[in-house]
Structure formats: C-alpha cells, structure tokens
C-alpha cells in the first residue's frame, strides 16, 4: 500500500459526482455576487456596494432566518426536507425575478425575502451532501466550487435587462439540478466502521467561540468591502473585475494549501494565512495609489474566497465527526458569514458616510478590529476538534494485545507518540482517511507520519504492519 494517494484515487476525487457537487455549490454561492454585485439583476446599480438595492437586506434576513433555525427544524421533522426542496427552488428563482421587476418597494423586498429563504434552504441541503461524502472529496469540492463563483465574474457583469434577470434566477434550478443528481450518488463512502470511535458533541462555549470568530472575521471583510472601489474593465466581450478575479484565484490556491497541508484544518491554521492578507489589504488601501488600490481589492478578494472555503470544510468536518448536529455545520458557516458581512458593510457605509468619518479614521478602526481578531485566536482552544485523547479504544483482548505490541514496537524503533498512535490505527486495518477524521489531521500530515512509520519499521505497506503485529 502506498503512503500517498495514487493517481487513480485522485481521479476518483474528480469523478462526475464530485464535479456536479462543485458546480451545484458554485452556482448557489454565485447568486449573491451575481444579484447584488453586478448589474445583471438591477440595471444601473451604483458602485460595487452590496447594499445597492433594498431587497438585499430582505434577502439576507430570509437566508439568516433559515440557516439559524433550519438545523432544529430538519432534525425534528426528517421528512420536511423532501417537501421543501422544490419549494426552495421556486422561492429563490421566483423571488429573484419579483425583486428585479417589481416597481413597488414592498413587493421588491418581499421578493428578496423569498429568494433569501430559498437560498438558505438550498445551502442546508448542500451542507448535508458535503457531510455525507468523504472528507478528502469535500476538501477538493469546496475550493472547486469557489472557482465556479470566480468564473461568474467573467460573464454576469456583461448581462443586463431580461437576460440578466433570467440568468440570475436560473442559478437556483441549476444548483438544484446538480443537487438532485449528486445526492443519489453520495452516501458516505469512507471506512465502513466509521462511528465506532464516536466523540461527544462540541461544548456550547466552543461553538459560540467559533461563531463569534467567524462573524468577526466577516465583519472586518465587510467593512473593507464597503471601501472597495469598482474596478471593472472591458475585455473583449466581457466586463471583468481583474483584481477580484486574480484575488479569487489567490484565495482558492491558499485555501487548498491550508486544507491539504496544514497540520490540521481549523481556525488557527486559517488565521495564519488570512491575517497577512487582511493586514496587507489595509496597508495597500492606506497608500491611496492606483496600483495599490487594485492590489487592495485583490488581497481582499483572496481573503474572502479563502475564508469561505476553509470555514466550510472545517465546520462540515465537525458535523461529519458528530461534533455538531446535522445541518449545523453549513448553517453556522453561511449564517455567520452573512451576519458578519452585512453588519460590516452597514458599519462601513454608516461610519464612512452617515457619521462623516474620514477614510483614514475608518481604516484605523478596521485595523484595530483586525488585530483584535487575530489576538482572539488565543482564546479559541485547538481542542475544538476534540480528537480522542488516547488513540483507538481497546475493547477486546485481541485489541489490547495489538496495543501492547504496538507500544513495544514503538519503543524499540523510536516512534514518536503521534506515530505510535497512527501505527495502532494501521495495525487494526484502518485507512488513512479514517485516521485523518479520528485525529483531525490534514491529509499530508497523516501521509507524512505513515511514511516515517514505514521507514522506521523497514516495511512498505499496511499489510506488512499487520503481519508484523501478528508475528510479534
């Protein structure tokens, strides 16, 4: 058995079902950008602010309402989901059209509220799909879905009028179509013994800490977005926001690096990459020069895209491991994102415009908030992943014998405590993906430990480990 994922395994991660899942989530996450950050839905939209139309607040309110309460509702009434799936598409698509074509402000806001409810429901349904598939597939799918959102930045700014409205409304049925197909093919495909090492639910205090950090992070990003200029450039048949496009590519790349190569996927690992981006963005904006302004937009987009991908993977993995209730992972991720974004955007616009603060004063406030955000990580324990404290439980005499032999081998061959822990899982026939989920480590970290174990024991496969244990 090889210590790294083979070419065949990598191709499996890019199967048709994974592509459909990435497309479906990408279409859904594109909706907010296409509807309220381009002129596709509302022709003549002023600037790049998300609050360019009053229906946006109504849409966000509807989405937050569903994301916050949906987990409780769906866990109590399991059959509710099947009834609400077609309703979610109708609400999102119909509400989008109504908010765009209605001349009456109340009807437009009603359309926004309806579309927000549909948007929140679809996110909850997609969250369960992500929680039911293997972690390694999720870690590729989520950044890939962000790439779909980035590509919409090429197309939708060029659309307006009935075509633009139709295109934005079509994102809902497109996402649902992918959901209907992908959901049939994504039962949990990991280790068949998954769940034997069950972990206790995450304490409420830790959940609140995670929510507070995520809301605060997007509050800072929202404040900076309120200062972000519109930098769209005609490029052939397209109107492209080049800094946003480049920044989104940077964010997706950094998200993949964090997800695949960090010791573990959590908020501390995210902060190590996102803090320099945010501080760099603030510094670049303060320079007040054209090139620095474009780099500011790119850094901000990079921080935004990276944060979305890493936080979704982190919280969905918590749900997958039983640390959060069903539907709660995506509910917290998207709910906190929307709450922080709208609060930050409102704060930036109000303090910058309504209260007459200068840009420099607002920028100083944001800098203080960003610094406080980084420092707050010291209060978020890394134990939120709550891996088992002493490796796999030994419930039978055979398992106790395996544990004893592993300890003897580890002492004889000079294995580290972590390598010993992983060796015990391997000796029991566990797969690397299973070990990752139990110990809450990244893919590369587990592969590196396995490689070192093989080198120290002088073997080349997991089967050789099992044979060595049996002989001992």
């Amino acid at each position: 058995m090889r210590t790294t994922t083979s070419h065949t395994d990598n191709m499996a991660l890019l199967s048709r079902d994974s592509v459909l899942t990435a497309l479906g989530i990408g279409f859904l996450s594109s909706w907010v950008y296409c509807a309220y950050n381009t002129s596709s839905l509302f022709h003549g939209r002023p600037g790049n602010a998300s609050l360019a139309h009053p229906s946006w607040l109504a849409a966000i309110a509807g989405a937050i309402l569903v994301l916050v309460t949906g987990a409780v509702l769906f866990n109590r009434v399991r059959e509710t989901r099947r009834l609400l799936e077609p309703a979610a598409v109708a609400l999102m698509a119909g509400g989008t059209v109504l908010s765009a074509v209605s001349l009456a402000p109340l009807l437009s806001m009603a359309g926004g509220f309806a579309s927000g409810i549909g948007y929140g429901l679809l996110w909850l349904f997609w969250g369960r799909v992500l929680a039911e598939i293997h972690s390694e597939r999720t870690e590729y799918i989520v950044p890939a879905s962000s790439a779909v959102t980035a590509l919409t930045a090429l197309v939708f700014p060029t659309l307006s009028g009935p075509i633009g409205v139709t295109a934005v409304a079509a994102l809902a049925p497109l996402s649902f179509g992918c959901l209907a197909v992908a959901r049939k093919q994504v039962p949990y495909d990991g280790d068949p013994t998954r769940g034997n090492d069950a972990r206790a639910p995450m304490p409420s205090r830790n959940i609140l800490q995670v929510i507070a950090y995520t809301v605060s992070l997007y509050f800072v990003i929202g404040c900076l977005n309120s200062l972000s200029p519109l930098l769209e450039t005609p490029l052939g048949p397209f109107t492209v926001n080049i800094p946003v496009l480049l920044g989104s590519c940077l964010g997706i790349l950094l998200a993949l690096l964090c997800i695949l190569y960090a010791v573990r996927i959590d908020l501390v690992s995210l902060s190590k990459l996102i803090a320099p981006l945010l501080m760099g963005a603030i510094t670049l904006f303060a320079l007040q020069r054209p090139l620095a302004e474009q780099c500011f937009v790119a850094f901000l987009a990079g921080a935004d895209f990276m944060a979305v991908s890493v936080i979704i993977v982190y919280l969905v993995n918590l749900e997958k491991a039983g640390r959060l209730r069903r539907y709660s992972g995506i509910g917290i991720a998207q709910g906190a994102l929307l709450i922080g974004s709208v609060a930050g955007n409102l704060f930036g616009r109000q303090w910058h415009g309504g209260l007459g603060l200068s840009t420099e004063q607002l920028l100083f406030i944001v800098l203080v908030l960003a610094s406080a955000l980084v420092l707050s990580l010291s209060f978020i324990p890394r134990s939120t992943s709550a891996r088992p404290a002493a490796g796999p439980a030994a419930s039978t005499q055979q398992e106790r014998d395996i544990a004893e032999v592993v300890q003897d081998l580890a002492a004889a061959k000079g294995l580290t405590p972590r390598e010993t822990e992983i060796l015990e899982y391997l000796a029991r026939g566990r797969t690397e993906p299973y070990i990752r989920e139990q110990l809450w480590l990244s893919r590369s970290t587990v592969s590196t430990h396995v490689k070192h174990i093989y080198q120290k024991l002088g073997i080349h496969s997991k089967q050789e480990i099992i044979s060595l244990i049996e002989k001992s």
Side-chain angles (χ1 to χ4, degrees):
M1 179 178 178
R2 298 178 182 177
T3 60
T4 56
T5 303
S6 67
H7 176 72
T8 303
D9 294 331
N10 282 329
M11 292 305 295
L13 296 176
L14 300 176
S15 64
R16 184 196 68 170
D17 303 323
S18 297
V19 171
L20 282 174
T21 304
L23 285 173
I25 295 174
F27 290 143
L28 181 60
S29 57
S30 298
W31 178 77
V32 170
Y33 171 79
C34 296
Y36 295 103
N37 286 82
T38 74
S39 57
S40 300
L41 200 61
F42 304 105
H43 185 65
R45 170 188 53 86
N48 194 35
S50 296
L51 300 179
H53 196 276
S55 68
W56 185 73
L57 279 177
I60 297 305
I64 291 173
L65 175 65
V66 170
L67 290 165
V68 170
T69 62
V72 176
L73 174 64
F74 291 159
N75 280 302
R76 290 185 177 179
V77 187
R78 295 293 176 87
E79 295 300 316
T80 304
R81 189 184 78 171
R82 295 182 181 179
L83 299 175
L84 288 178
E85 284 180 349
V89 181
L91 285 170
M92 186 173 167
T96 299
V97 174
L98 180 61
S99 62
V101 303
S102 177
L103 298 178
L106 287 179
L107 282 178
S108 182
M109 293 182 69
F113 188 74
S115 63
I117 290 177
Y119 176 79
L121 287 171
L122 284 178
W123 261 120
L124 290 176
F125 302 148
W126 273 117
R128 278 311 303 162
V129 170
L130 291 175
E132 289 167 2
I133 63 180
H134 204 282
S135 295
E136 290 194 2
R137 290 179 62 191
T138 302
E139 290 166 4
Y140 282 96
I141 286 170
V142 174
S145 69
S146 295
V148 176
T149 304
L151 290 175
T152 61
L154 290 173
V155 178
F156 277 82
T158 65
L159 305 177
S160 61
I163 295 177
V165 174
T166 303
V168 175
L171 291 172
L174 284 173
S175 179
F176 178 72
C178 294
L179 174 67
V181 177
R183 189 184 54 218
K184 297 177 182 178
Q185 308 296 331
V186 290
Y188 182 80
D189 59 356
D191 194 296
T193 58
R194 176 182 183 259
N196 290 351
D197 300 309
R199 284 164 280 187
M202 180 184 286
S204 299
R205 176 172 60 92
N206 286 353
I207 295 176
L208 291 175
Q209 288 173 328
V210 171
I211 293 173
Y213 177 85
T214 307
V215 170
S216 301
L217 173 61
Y218 270 94
F219 182 88
V220 171
I221 292 175
C223 284
L224 292 173
N225 268 326
S226 70
L227 303 174
S228 180
L230 182 65
L231 299 174
E232 293 178 347
T233 305
L235 191 64
F238 302 110
T239 301
V240 184
N241 192 323
I242 294 177
V244 168
L245 185 61
L246 294 177
S248 62
C249 294
L250 172 64
I252 293 167
L253 175 61
L254 291 175
L256 282 170
L257 290 175
C258 181
I259 290 169
L260 298 179
Y261 296 104
V263 174
R264 58 171 58 91
I265 305 167
D266 58 14
L267 298 182
V268 176
S269 298
L270 169 64
S271 180
K272 289 179 180 179
L273 290 175
I274 203 169
L277 281 179
L278 289 177
M279 295 304 180
I282 294 171
T283 302
L284 288 165
F285 185 85
L287 295 177
Q288 295 290 308
R289 295 177 182 175
L291 180 59
E293 190 175 66
Q294 295 186 33
C295 292
F296 158 74
V297 174
F299 274 42
L300 187 58
D304 192 352
F305 273 76
M306 181 177 66
V308 170
S309 295
V310 176
I311 288 172
I312 288 177
V313 170
Y314 168 62
L315 290 170
V316 167
N317 281 348
L318 283 176
E319 180 182 335
K320 196 191 303 285
R323 301 283 288 156
L324 294 175
R325 297 181 65 187
R326 289 162 57 93
Y327 298 97
S328 296
I330 206 69
I332 293 173
Q334 287 296 316
L337 183 157
L338 293 175
I339 292 172
S341 295
V342 69
N345 206 307
L346 284 171
F347 177 87
R349 290 169 63 85
Q350 180 67 26
W351 283 64
H352 185 50
L355 299 182
L357 285 180
S358 67
T359 299
E360 290 76 13
Q361 290 173 314
L362 178 59
L363 204 59
F364 175 76
I365 293 172
V366 174
L367 178 61
V368 172
L369 291 172
S371 302
L373 182 66
V374 175
L375 293 175
S376 71
L377 283 171
S378 60
F379 300 99
I380 299 180
R382 299 201 75 162
S383 60
T384 51
S385 58
R387 57 182 175 84
S395 58
T396 66
Q397 183 60 45
Q398 181 183 11
E399 290 176 338
R400 287 191 288 272
D401 291 342
I402 290 175
E404 183 178 345
V405 172
V406 165
Q407 293 298 325
D408 292 341
L409 275 175
K413 300 296 183 178
L415 270 62
T416 65
R418 176 68 80 187
E419 290 168 352
T420 303
E421 191 174 22
I422 292 176
L423 175 59
E424 188 170 345
Y425 278 108
L426 293 172
R428 297 183 184 187
R430 303 300 195 190
T431 63
E432 288 187 34
Y434 179 89
I435 296 170
R436 288 189 52 215
E437 292 188 1
Q438 293 302 311
L439 301 185
W440 208 264
L441 298 173
S442 72
R443 180 182 180 187
S444 65
T445 301
V446 172
S447 294
T448 300
H449 282 309
V450 171
K451 180 180 178 181
H452 291 165
I453 291 170
Y454 287 178
Q455 289 174 344
K456 291 180 180 181
L457 297 183
I459 58 178
H460 303 88
S461 70
K462 185 173 69 177
Q463 184 57 48
E464 290 184 63
I465 288 179
I466 296 174
S467 299
L468 184 63
I469 295 295
E470 290 175 350
K471 290 178 182 178
S472 302

